């Protein structure tokens, strides 16, 4: 049962958005530790790029809204019949 929930969570835009944000913050902190500075403008552009990628993946059907995971599967099943 838990594996199914994990699989559903991995397929959500919320999960990947959170992972991407955490990675960007990590990169910014590591860069600061080595004396490099990533500007707020650059971070804004990176976040916008990640959001665009998540939108494309959602539209292609690879990622789904977490509240619609079950209903999305039901819709696909109905269409196939």
């Amino acid at each position: 049962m838990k594996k199914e929930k994990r699989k559903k969570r991995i397929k959500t835009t919320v999960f990947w958005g959170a992972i991407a944000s955490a990675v960007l913050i990590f990169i910014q902190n590591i860069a600061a530790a080595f004396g490099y500075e990533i500007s707020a403008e650059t971070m804004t552009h990176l976040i916008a790029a990640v959001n665009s990628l998540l939108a494309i993946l959602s539209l292609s059907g690879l990622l789904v809204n977490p509240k619609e995971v079950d209903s999305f599967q039901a819709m696909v099943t109905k269409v196939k019949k």
Side-chain angles (χ1 to χ4, degrees):
M1 186 81 161
K2 290 183 180 183
K3 287 184 181 182
E4 290 176 17
K5 286 184 180 181
R6 285 186 202 141
K7 286 181 182 180
K8 284 183 181 181
R9 285 185 187 148
I10 289 175
K11 291 182 178 182
T12 64
T13 55
V14 175
F15 174 81
W16 289 107
I19 292 292
S21 296
V23 168
L24 288 174
I25 291 170
F26 177 74
I27 290 170
Q28 187 177 27
N29 288 328
I30 294 298
F34 288 106
Y36 297 103
E37 184 178 332
I38 301 174
S39 69
E41 184 179 345
T42 302
M43 290 301 287
T44 302
H45 291 298
L46 288 172
I47 291 171
V50 168
N51 287 337
S52 298
L53 177 63
L54 290 174
I56 290 169
L57 291 174
S58 296
L59 289 172
S60 67
L62 295 175
L63 298 178
V64 293
N65 185 340
K67 294 181 180 177
E68 297 177 4
V69 171
D70 294 328
S71 62
F72 178 77
Q73 294 299 329
M75 181 186 71
V76 170
T77 303
K78 287 179 183 177
V79 170
K80 286 183 179 179
K81 288 183 179 181

